[in-house]
Amino acid sequence: MPRVGRVKLDLIIKNANVLTLNDERPQARAVGVWNGRIVGLDDDISELPAARIVDAAGATVTPGFHDVHNHMAAFGQQLQEIDASGFTSADQLYDAVAAAAAAEPGREWITGSGYDQTRIGGHPVRTKLDAASGGRKVMFIHRTSHMLVASTAVFEAVGALSPSFPVPSGGLIERDGDGSPTGLVAEQAMTAFRDLRKPFSEADLIQALGLAGDRYLAEGLTSVAEAGIGASPLVGSSPVELAAYQAGHEAGRIRLRTQLMVAMENFHSVVTAAADDYHLGLDLGIRTGLGDDRLSVGPLKVFTDGALMSRTASMTENFCGHDHAGVMQFGPEELRDLTVQAHRGGWQLAVHAIGDHAVDVALDVIEAALSSRHRPDPRHRIEHASVVRPDQLERFVALGIIPSPQGRFVYEIGDGVAEVIGEQRLPWTYRHRSFLDAGLVVPGGSDRPVVQGAPLPAMQAMVERRTSSGRAFNLHEGVSALEALKSYTVDSAYASREEHSKGRIRERFHADLVLLDQDPTAVPTEQIGATLVLATLVGGVAEHDPQGIFAG
């Protein structure tokens, strides 16, 4: 840190309502920045010169927001294709396909994502996609990313028109009574379909990541965690996807901090010394923690089940109105071996588990991993942790597991989830308050593009606990506005093992800051989501500044 009178600060922000989220000094009026770091507050910097002094005119400054679970590449790709998330009928989707076909007669592929069968009256149908597209290859990814629908040309390219086509365990290709595919494909069966468009080129990925990053910065996000890179039927865009992130950072196209979870399918046998006591991993011994404060390797992403909206989450009892209880994508023994090996190899685990049966399996395999070798502070996580019974909550605490839910789910998909969960299981669904009361850290994540990913509307959803129809959804799980803000700052930094450098405004921390037009912890709850992001700073540099507040 600079000495008084010897170094000129790069920036001082004054006349601000600074929410530091540092319990020792929770509020301030001024922040000093030097060499990308916070150097002090208020009187600490009052006598120091600065290259630039910005008068915030009473605006609120918070630590930059951190999303611990998003799909950045997928979101960037979605920004360049048909966005079906707002469609309320299947005809709207077919019309969009027809318009795309008419606009580019020579186009081979028409792609889109974000459709919700509960909003448009069912899944799109293969033959109607054929008619709308003029026989082109058409593929739409469901909003959960756990299902897709495709046209006949896609099924022909895969070789899956015939009912004799082999469907992998944990997958589904829906067929009519005569064996013809309806167009719907789910879970592990998606691999062959999605592989038709993979791997995406490095240039295409950098373009997508840059577009996504620009949107994130405009929403106050200064760092995100990508929830799965590499070869995978559900996530990942290329077996060499990390190279696109590295090149994007080097070219200045990715301007916020990124942590990358590695999808479990990329693990393979590795040769190690007998004393190392693990045999699965990545080449060169790459593991959680490699990288720097701009780009780093995060947890290993492990999959168990599907999703609630696709009715593929693995439950202990059937979904309401259905004769099944979802699916497991991998068997317990395979998951146990993988997680034990990853834990022994030094990885943090991020285990996707949505249904309560999947949560049982996730708890079991993490417990097995922890028992296999003592490691200080491994911070293993269960991603989503959507349906958690009271007995399971006790195991979270006993094992020191971090639940990683998505607060925005309540608002956007809560109505559909309540319908298939039923009254008995509803109180266990999308917990937050009960996690906090149990002493657990609850980070903020979006799972974007499954739902809208802007942090401030998500914080409002965490507090209000109401669906888009206005229905109360477990009001007892609501949190305060300050607790919601901590989820996207302090708690997210902890879950990503970065609590010593971000998540708070304090000396030596990264100068990752958001300037807001109002204090989200002080306004009426219904106004939190409407809070405007005036500027976003990463390492003291204004990466989003539409009004030119930090120009000059």
Side-chain angles (χ1 to χ4, degrees), residues 202-203 206 209 240-254 295:
E202 184 175 293
I206 292 172
L209 294 169
V240 291
E241 192 167 354
L242 192 151
Y245 279 88
Q246 183 175 349
H249 275 280
E250 291 170 346
R253 192 63 191 92
I254 302 174
L295 176 63

Side-chain angles (χ1 to χ4, degrees), residues 23 129 162 179 196 231 255 265 299 318 329 452 470-471 492 524:
D23 292 339
L129 293 174
S162 169
L196 291 177
R255 297 177 292 130
E265 294 89 345
N318 286 351
Q329 300 195 50
Q452 297 296 314
R471 171 181 178 169
S492 287

Side-chain angles (χ1 to χ4, degrees), residues 264 280 302 329-340 365:
M264 61 182 281
L280 295 177
V302 179
Q329 300 195 50
F330 300 93
E333 290 305 314
E334 181 179 2
L335 291 169
R336 178 190 175 100
D337 185 46
L338 179 78
T339 53
V340 166
V365 299

Side-chain angles (χ1 to χ4, degrees), residues 60-360:
T60 293
V61 176
T62 74
F65 305 142
H66 174 43
D67 185 334
V68 298
H69 187 118
N70 95 110
H71 300 279
M72 188 173 182
F75 178 64
Q77 291 158 2
Q78 178 179 298
L79 293 174
Q80 303 172 77
E81 59 188 14
I82 297 173
D83 179 7
S85 62
F87 293 167
T88 56
S89 72
D91 284 341
Q92 286 180 288
L93 187 147
Y94 300 137
D95 289 345
V97 170
E104 297 182 59
R107 185 172 181 174
E108 179 185 9
W109 277 94
I110 298 173
T111 59
S113 59
Y115 85 89
D116 182 341
Q117 83 279 12
T118 67
R119 297 189 66 199
I120 66 173
H123 294 284
V125 178
R126 172 179 60 89
T127 53
K128 292 188 176 181
L129 293 174
D130 294 343
S133 67
R136 291 172 176 79
K137 293 175 181 173
V138 181
M139 188 159 63
F140 274 74
I141 306 297
H142 187 263
R143 70 178 303 168
T144 63
S145 296
H146 288 263
M147 298 187 291
L148 62 81
V149 290
S151 65
T152 297
V154 175
F155 274 85
E156 289 175 338
V158 172
L161 276 177
S162 169
S164 64
F165 179 80
V167 179
S169 175
L172 166 73
I173 296 180
E174 185 180 72
R175 297 185 182 275
D176 290 329
D178 63 359
S180 299
T182 64
L184 179 65
V185 182
E187 304 298 352
Q188 292 298 310
M190 297 166 61
T191 302
F193 290 79
R194 299 190 74 168
D195 280 353
L196 291 177
R197 302 192 66 232
K198 293 181 181 180
F200 292 96
S201 71
E202 184 175 293
D204 286 344
L205 283 172
I206 292 172
Q207 169 74 2
L209 294 169
L211 290 172
D214 292 345
R215 177 73 66 86
Y216 294 175
L217 289 164
E219 296 168 350
L221 285 161
T222 56
S223 59
V224 296
E226 164 66 63
I229 65 166
S232 171
L234 295 176
V235 296
S237 302
S238 166
V240 291
E241 192 167 354
L242 192 151
Y245 279 88
Q246 183 175 349
H249 275 280
E250 291 170 346
R253 192 63 191 92
I254 302 174
R255 297 177 292 130
L256 72 167
R257 306 182 197 279
T258 48
Q259 186 181 84
L260 310 178
M261 300 187 202
V262 176
M264 61 182 281
E265 294 89 345
N266 296 276
F267 254 40
H268 54 77
S269 295
V270 292
V271 178
T272 61
D276 294 331
D277 199 25
Y278 68 93
H279 60 80
L280 295 177
L282 298 184
D283 291 337
L284 304 178
I286 292 171
R287 63 176 175 85
T288 302
L290 180 68
D292 59 20
D293 57 20
R294 286 281 175 166
L295 176 63
S296 63
V297 175
L300 178 70
K301 178 69 176 296
V302 179
F303 286 98
T304 61
D305 63 344
L308 289 171
M309 289 299 289
S310 57
R311 283 58 164 170
T312 55
S314 184
M315 308 293 292
T316 52
E317 297 181 9
N318 286 351
F319 287 104
C320 295
H322 294 72
D323 60 357
H324 67 88
V327 298
M328 287 290 292
Q329 300 195 50
F330 300 93
E333 290 305 314
E334 181 179 2
L335 291 169
R336 178 190 175 100
D337 185 46
L338 179 78
T339 53
V340 166
Q341 294 297 313
H343 172 80
R344 289 177 177 175
W347 284 85
Q348 181 185 18
L349 300 172
V351 184
H352 165 115
I354 289 182
D356 64 324
H357 173 254
V359 171
D360 276 331

